[in-house]
Amino acid sequence: MRKRWGRLAAVSAVALTAACGIGDRAGADTVTMTVWTSNQEQLDLLNRLAGEFSAQHGGTPVRIETVPQADYTTKVSVRLAGGDPPDLGWLGAPDAVGMAATEVLADVGPALREDPTYRLDDFVPSAFTNWQDGDAVYGVPFSTSPFFVVYNRDFFSRAGLPDPAELAARGEWTWDRLAALARELQPTLPGGSYVFQSNEGSLYGPLPVSWPTLDPLLRAYGARFASGDQCTMDSPEAVRAIATLHRMVSTDGTAVPPGAQADFYAGNAALTITQLSRLSQLEGAKFRYGFAPLPAGPGEQPRVTGQAGLVVFQQARHRDLAIEFLKFLTSEGPMRELARFFPPPRRSVLADAAQVYAGNALPPDAVTDILVPGITEGQAFQYPRTWPEIKTAAQPVFDELWVPGANVPQELSELCGEVGPLLREKG
């Protein structure tokens, strides 16, 4: 792995924000873990679990430190570069791949494999896609959250059109069908509304946040960002996939265009791609809603997950205890409790999903038919080790894709010209 640590050292020091945990302050004997949630229920649960771990380990203080998500990676990187590391923390998959490539993360693989009570084989097969390099394991996903569709049933009903769940039940829920249906539905919607809103409305933002919309689209058409160290975004399948969405944005006017504001949860989009953690926004909704799997296509029925994992930092002052805390939080019992917030990659917990998610916004049939297979059969986008460089090089090309009249095949060819050498660059 190449050394990129010097880049982190160049970032100016920024203090971490609010913290909470067992004990009032993090002393020299305190195990510290950074998280990005500010949800009080989640923090209360994490602190209770930290207290249980502390009691099992001689009263060792454990402190949960919360950092705003928008600043999380930067502020953790500052601490690492400044020699003031947390012992362990949460990371999203792309950040974990980048940090593993800089040798910032500890290999926890031996500790997981050597503990028979941990039951490493209980995890779904694809769980470690972005957390393992050969035998080395640089993190354990505590959340493997599948993407799916939530839609406004009232819009479809008033237009006299079949809704996505009905189409899915008939095997007709595809991107091509969605594009055609959207042309019929759009004229019936209130002013300022659109049929399709991308995941969190982020299609035109930085590549990492637009990818939850683009990766399922590509997979549906049998395309991938890359095959091995070769860029395949210029393949006929990828061109067809991107062109479908481009027409919805620029020609049909059925997808939220750049610069427009439309929010499904506020009632001005007919459907969006979402995850379990976003469904709290449905509370108080003034419309009926339903759920469907991701649209399929000529390539496959995509089942795509986003992941966040727990990592131990190489510089951790309490590395052994940090690894034990990681194992504790990702063991079956604590993961069963965390599951109500974070979809678990452990099959033993998923076996009781109907009970775990009873009373959740996702109805029982959607839990069994969408959520569980989304995890057990789902695939996470595999981030190359050079992802930080790739996303920087690719972003200007992706920005050009959404300009009206863009030449999609040409733009995707240029994209591969930019990122191809970075894919072939050895980590």
Side-chain angles (χ1 to χ4, degrees), residues 142-146 276-277 279 335-345 349-364 366-368 371-372 375:
F142 65 87
S143 178
T144 296
S145 189
L276 184 71
S277 60
L279 298 188
M335 189 166 276
R336 188 176 295 273
E337 294 194 66
L338 291 164
R340 63 191 175 104
F341 301 114
F342 311 109
V349 182
L350 291 172
D352 299 325
Q355 178 179 344
V356 170
Y357 294 107
N360 189 276
L362 206 60
V367 170
T368 57
L371 184 72
V372 172
I375 300 172

Side-chain angles (χ1 to χ4, degrees), residues 100-388:
T102 65
E103 301 183 2
V104 173
L105 306 181
D107 176 11
V108 299
L112 304 184
R113 287 188 289 267
E114 291 166 8
D115 184 350
T117 67
Y118 186 72
R119 297 181 58 215
L120 190 58
D121 61 355
D122 187 36
F123 286 82
V124 298
S126 63
F128 288 92
T129 297
N130 288 297
W131 309 91
Q132 189 165 359
D133 184 9
D135 289 335
V137 178
Y138 293 106
V140 177
F142 65 87
S143 178
T144 296
S145 189
F147 294 94
F148 51 89
V149 167
V150 58
Y151 60 91
N152 186 317
R153 292 175 59 198
D154 292 338
F155 283 161
F156 286 89
S157 177
R158 285 199 292 264
L161 295 170
D163 68 28
E166 294 173 21
L167 292 170
R170 301 202 298 258
E172 299 174 8
W173 180 230
T174 66
W175 276 98
D176 287 348
R177 186 70 176 92
L178 167 57
L181 187 70
R183 289 192 290 270
E184 296 182 70
L185 183 58
Q186 184 65 41
T188 73
L189 300 182
S193 298
Y194 297 87
V195 175
F196 177 72
Q197 179 195 12
S198 60
N199 175 255
E200 297 188 41
S202 58
L203 181 59
Y204 316 111
L207 198 55
V209 294
S210 62
W211 209 245
T213 298
L214 296 176
D215 189 33
L217 171 67
L218 290 166
R219 288 175 184 270
Y221 284 87
R224 296 290 188 275
F225 183 82
S227 176
D229 60 1
Q230 299 297 313
C231 174
T232 55
M233 282 294 290
D234 56 357
S235 69
E237 295 82 5
V239 170
R240 182 178 173 189
I242 298 297
T244 298
L245 186 53
H246 185 271
R247 283 193 299 272
M248 292 175 67
V249 173
S250 300
T251 304
D252 299 344
T254 56
V256 182
Q261 299 295 321
D263 181 7
F264 170 82
Y265 299 98
N268 48 32
L271 61 86
T272 189
I273 294 174
T274 193
Q275 291 173 288
L276 184 71
S277 60
R278 307 292 185 248
L279 298 188
S280 60
Q281 298 176 74
L282 289 170
E283 187 175 346
K286 302 186 185 306
F287 56 87
R288 296 177 303 149
Y289 50 84
F291 302 94
L294 294 167
E300 63 179 82
Q301 168 63 65
R303 299 192 187 278
V304 179
T305 63
Q307 286 188 316
L310 271 172
V311 302
V312 173
F313 296 105
Q314 191 74 265
Q315 300 179 59
R317 294 185 178 91
H318 312 93
R319 190 191 304 183
D320 290 344
L321 271 174
I323 291 174
E324 289 302 310
F325 191 35
L326 177 150
K327 287 169 54 182
F328 173 80
L329 287 177
T330 57
S331 61
E332 182 179 344
M335 189 166 276
R336 188 176 295 273
E337 294 194 66
L338 291 164
R340 63 191 175 104
F341 301 114
F342 311 109
R346 278 191 176 271
R347 285 176 285 204
S348 57
V349 182
L350 291 172
D352 299 325
Q355 178 179 344
V356 170
Y357 294 107
N360 189 276
L362 206 60
D365 60 339
V367 170
T368 57
D369 297 342
I370 298 175
L371 184 72
V372 172
I375 300 172
T376 57
E377 302 170 24
Q379 299 292 323
F381 176 70
Q382 188 163 9
Y383 293 94
R385 288 183 186 171
T386 51
W387 182 251

Side-chain angles (χ1 to χ4, degrees), residues 368-425:
T368 57
D369 297 342
I370 298 175
L371 184 72
V372 172
I375 300 172
T376 57
E377 302 170 24
Q379 299 292 323
F381 176 70
Q382 188 163 9
Y383 293 94
R385 288 183 186 171
T386 51
W387 182 251
E389 291 88 347
I390 286 171
K391 68 181 181 181
T392 299
Q395 191 64 54
V397 184
F398 272 99
D399 290 344
E400 290 298 319
L401 272 174
W402 309 115
V403 174
N407 185 321
V408 172
Q410 179 179 316
E411 294 294 346
L412 293 179
S413 177
E414 290 182 11
L415 174 70
C416 280
E418 292 289 336
V419 306
L422 296 172
L423 285 166
R424 294 187 287 275
E425 188 175 314

